Amino acid sequence: ELKVEQNPLFLSMQEGKNYTIYCNYSTTSDRLYWYRQDPGKSLESLFVLLSNGAVKQEGRLMASLDTKARLSTLHITAAVHDLSATYFCAVDMSSQGNLIFGKGTKLSVKP
Amino acid sequence: KAGVTQTPRYLIKTRGQQVTLSCSPISGHRSVSWYQQTPGQGLQFLFEYFSETQRNKGNFPGRFSGRQFSNSRSEMNVSTLELGDSALYLCASSLVGTGVDTQYFGPGTRLTVL
C-alpha cells in the first residue's frame, strides 16, 4: 500500500525566511504533484513533477523530485504572508486518476 | 476556459437519507475523479471514471457509488448516510487521467449529516 508522508505538518514562519517541506512516499513512482489549499477553498495545482531530478519553480516556491530516494521537496524562499495555506503533495500510482495525498503541511507566515 | 464545477456547494442531510452530488469537468476532459476530505482522514480517493467506465475505486463501502455520462459529467451517490460521511467532497478532472496530466479540482460540495 502506498503511503505518502509530509513533514512538518505545521509550520510557522516569519516573513523573509526560507524553509523546506518534505514529502516521502513508500513505493516507486515518478509522478508527483504539489497542491495548495486555502481555508474553505479547493485545491490549486502548483507543480507537476514527472521524472527523476525534475525541478520546477514558480515565484518563491521551488519543487524537486528524487525518485530514487522517493522524496520530493517544496522549498519556500523569502516567505510572504500570501503564502499562508495548506500544501499537499500527492503521488499517482495507478495512471488511472488515483492520487494518494499526504496529510498536508499547514503553513502560517507571520510578519 | 471554465473550470470544474460542482453542485450543490452545500448540503445538509440527516442520517439514513441519500444524496447525489454532481460534477461538470473542464471542457475536453474525459477523466473525473472523486475525493473525500475530512479533518481526520485527510484527502481520500473514492473513484475515477473515464469514458463512462469506472476504472479505479478506493477503499470505501458500497454505499458510495458514482457514474459518468457521455458528456463526461459525473455524479456520485451516497446512500444511507452516516454521521461520518460529513465531509468536503471534491471532484477533479483531467484530460485522460493517465497520471501525466494534471488533475484540476472543483470547489467541492460540503456535506453535513445530522
Side-chain angles (χ1 to χ4, degrees):
Chain A
E1 179 190 341
L2 172 65
K3 291 185 180 178
V4 181
E5 293 185 350
Q6 283 182 242
N7 70 84
L9 297 183
F10 298 94
L11 179 55
S12 182
M13 298 176 62
Q14 280 193 310
E15 281 191 330
K17 298 291 188 182
N18 304 332
Y19 210 83
T20 300
I21 299 170
Y22 297 89
C23 174
N24 290 89
Y25 53 98
S26 59
T27 309
T28 302
S29 174
D30 56 3
R31 297 186 294 276
L32 190 135
Y33 303 79
W34 284 95
Y35 287 88
R36 166 182 172 147
Q37 187 176 38
D38 291 291
K41 300 291 180 66
S42 187
L43 279 76
E44 173 191 355
S45 175
L46 293 174
F47 300 108
V48 180
L49 303 168
L50 298 176
S51 62
N52 185 40
V55 177
K56 292 202 174 175
Q57 183 164 6
E58 180 74 33
R60 300 174 188 274
L61 300 177
M62 184 174 72
S64 65
L65 178 62
D66 181 343
T67 58
K68 293 178 182 176
R70 298 176 189 169
L71 171 69
S72 179
T73 60
L74 180 66
H75 186 73
I76 303 155
T77 302
V80 294
H81 178 70
D82 284 352
L83 290 179
S84 297
T86 299
Y87 293 85
F88 292 92
C89 64
V91 176
D92 187 317
M93 277 298 299
S94 68
S95 297
Q96 290 179 345
N98 175 5
L99 293 181
I100 307 298
F101 283 85
K103 290 199 176 296
T105 297
K106 186 171 183 179
L107 172 65
S108 175
V109 182
K110 301 183 187 305
Chain B
K1 199 181 227 185
V4 178
T5 58
Q6 292 185 246
T7 56
R9 293 291 312 279
Y10 302 91
L11 209 46
I12 299 175
K13 292 285 188 179
T14 56
R15 280 181 299 173
Q17 287 187 309
Q18 75 165 21
V19 67
T20 299
L21 312 181
S22 181
C23 172
S24 292
I26 292 171
S27 178
H29 285 193
R30 295 166 62 191
S31 169
V32 174
S33 299
W34 288 89
Y35 296 85
Q36 181 196 65
Q37 186 176 27
T38 60
Q41 299 299 317
L43 279 152
Q44 294 184 283
F45 171 76
L46 281 157
F47 27 64
E48 187 260 0
Y49 287 87
F50 178 78
S51 291
E52 301 179 66
T53 300
Q54 185 183 91
R55 291 194 301 189
N56 212 342
K57 190 178 191 305
N59 190 24
F60 278 82
R63 300 185 296 107
F64 292 80
S65 63
R67 59 178 175 168
Q68 187 181 35
F69 302 94
S70 58
N71 61 358
S72 295
R73 190 177 68 87
S74 178
E75 288 181 347
M76 69 163 280
N77 184 275
V78 188
S79 62
T80 320
L81 284 166
E82 300 176 0
L83 294 178
D85 297 334
S86 294
L88 180 66
Y89 290 89
L90 295 163
C91 85
S93 77
S94 62
L95 283 169
V96 291
T98 59
V100 297
D101 52 339
T102 302
Q103 289 191 25
Y104 295 91
F105 283 79
T109 294
R110 186 162 295 281
L111 172 64
T112 303
V113 182
L114 303 176

